[in-house]
Amino acid sequence: MKLIDAHVHLSDSEYDKHTDELVTDANNSGVVALVSNSMDLHTSIETLKLTEKHPRLVYAALGIHPWNVSVLQENELEETLKLISETAEKKSVTAIGEIGLDSKYDKIWDKQLMVFDRMLRLAETLNLPVIIHSRGTTAQIVDMLPSYKLKRVLLHWFSYPLGALSQAVSRGYYITEGPPATYSLGIREVIANVPLTNLLTETDGPVKYFKQPFNGQMTKPSFIRAVVEAIAEIKKKPVDEVAEQIAKNFEEFFSIKL
Ligand SMILES: [Zn+2]
């Protein structure tokens, strides 16, 4: 069974000494692809190093997360955009991410909008997929996106509203869901409402999950199996069939052959 972690942060400092352990865990648990998302220039550079160390297992998403907008250094935005363009030429970047808007950081709202716009414009130019964080802003982002010519859009950890979900699906966007699929009624409702062809799995590690069976332990690729099993239960389909479709979705979304 081929399992996919389409959204994780392997370059996060919390994983610092654990990356070898994570790769071993991925191999042992059937996870064949990890899309490592970046938060800023530094983690973008580190993510690229990981893809060189683990080719055909770790794939790079580069960008600036809305949480990092408030601590952007001088020239960091321009340098990150330049890095993405250069790596796109060498085809070592898989997507632009994690980018987006977060309503909890409303004091830096205008700057968030500016950074998000620059990233989306670059995705248009380079014809790269985008991975979007949209806490409290999903409906707004779904309204904004048609003004960009984007190849592929993935809304990560989609939680609400269901109206924006049907709009997103009708435009061919994908969503990712992770460990909360096993215990969150809201996330289970989203999964029930999204076609399996538009769904990918994620851990979003090092984010920790404190409910059973995760119990706050270090988030690892092996968690993906429980997510796939939860999706299979909700969709009333065999686990193998769900895993196979999600692997196909990964290939389709990122234009990568597993
Ligand atoms: Zn993330």
Side-chain angles (χ1 to χ4, degrees):
M1 195 187 296
K2 287 179 180 166
L3 302 176
I4 305 293
D5 189 348
H7 188 105
V8 61
H9 298 270
L10 296 178
S11 57
D12 190 286
S13 57
E14 254 193 71
Y15 275 154
D16 214 14
K17 293 175 190 73
H18 299 286
T19 45
D20 290 336
E21 190 185 330
L22 291 166
V23 169
T24 310
D25 184 73
N27 287 331
N28 293 340
S29 55
V31 173
V32 296
L34 300 126
V35 181
S36 188
N37 281 247
S38 309
M39 303 294 285
D40 56 8
L41 178 61
H42 171 70
T43 48
S44 292
I45 293 167
E46 293 303 311
T47 298
L48 284 169
K49 288 184 194 161
L50 286 169
T51 62
E52 279 165 28
K53 211 172 158 199
H54 307 288
R56 299 199 50 77
L57 176 65
V58 176
Y59 298 92
L62 308 183
I64 291 171
H65 194 288
W67 298 349
N68 288 63
V69 164
S70 65
V71 290
L72 269 187
Q73 304 294 306
E74 211 191 324
N75 297 328
E76 187 173 351
L77 173 61
E78 300 307 324
E79 282 176 40
T80 309
L81 294 165
K82 194 168 146 234
L83 178 73
I84 298 170
S85 301
E86 287 169 1
T87 48
E89 271 171 41
K90 292 183 248 158
K91 299 207 183 314
S92 40
V93 57
T94 296
I96 295 190
E98 178 173 353
I99 59 171
L101 299 172
D102 192 313
S103 63
K104 285 213 173 158
Y105 290 68
D106 57 347
K107 286 202 184 79
I108 48 158
W109 187 248
D110 288 348
K111 206 168 172 193
Q112 279 195 61
L113 276 171
M114 183 274 288
V115 171
F116 188 41
D117 173 70
R118 293 289 304 274
M119 290 288 166
L120 293 173
R121 295 274 171 230
L122 186 64
E124 274 185 329
T125 310
L126 300 174
N127 205 22
L128 281 170
V130 289
I131 300 172
I132 296 179
H133 169 106
S134 60
R135 183 169 58 176
T137 57
T138 309
Q140 184 177 356
I141 287 179
V142 168
D143 281 347
M144 275 170 71
L145 291 179
S147 53
Y148 300 87
K149 271 198 210 108
L150 297 165
K151 186 189 180 194
R152 294 223 181 270
V153 174
L154 191 154
L155 298 165
H156 129 78
W157 201 328
F158 190 106
S159 53
Y160 66 90
L162 289 178
L165 179 66
S166 51
Q167 230 181 323
V169 166
S170 71
R171 291 196 211 131
Y173 299 171
Y174 286 51
I175 68 162
T176 38
E177 295 298 353
T182 64
Y183 58 79
S184 157
L185 293 178
I187 294 298
R188 291 173 73 86
E189 196 184 359
V190 170
I191 292 170
N193 281 282
V194 70
L196 192 53
T197 45
N198 296 67
L199 182 60
L200 282 161
T201 45
E202 68 175 12
T203 59
D204 202 20
V207 167
K208 283 198 172 87
Y209 304 93
F210 292 91
K211 297 258 167 75
Q212 288 270 22
F214 311 107
N215 298 323
Q217 56 174 307
M218 186 178 77
T219 297
K220 293 192 283 194
S222 54
F223 287 15
I224 292 291
R225 199 181 175 96
V227 179
V228 173
E229 285 169 0
I231 295 168
E233 187 193 319
I234 297 162
K235 295 291 192 191
K236 298 187 177 61
K237 286 201 155 98
V239 176
D240 284 10
E241 201 180 307
V242 169
E244 198 180 314
Q245 183 61 50
I246 288 171
K248 255 192 219 163
N249 297 348
F250 170 85
E251 290 183 316
E252 181 83 21
F253 185 84
F254 292 107
S255 308
I256 287 170
K257 186 93 193 85
L258 288 169

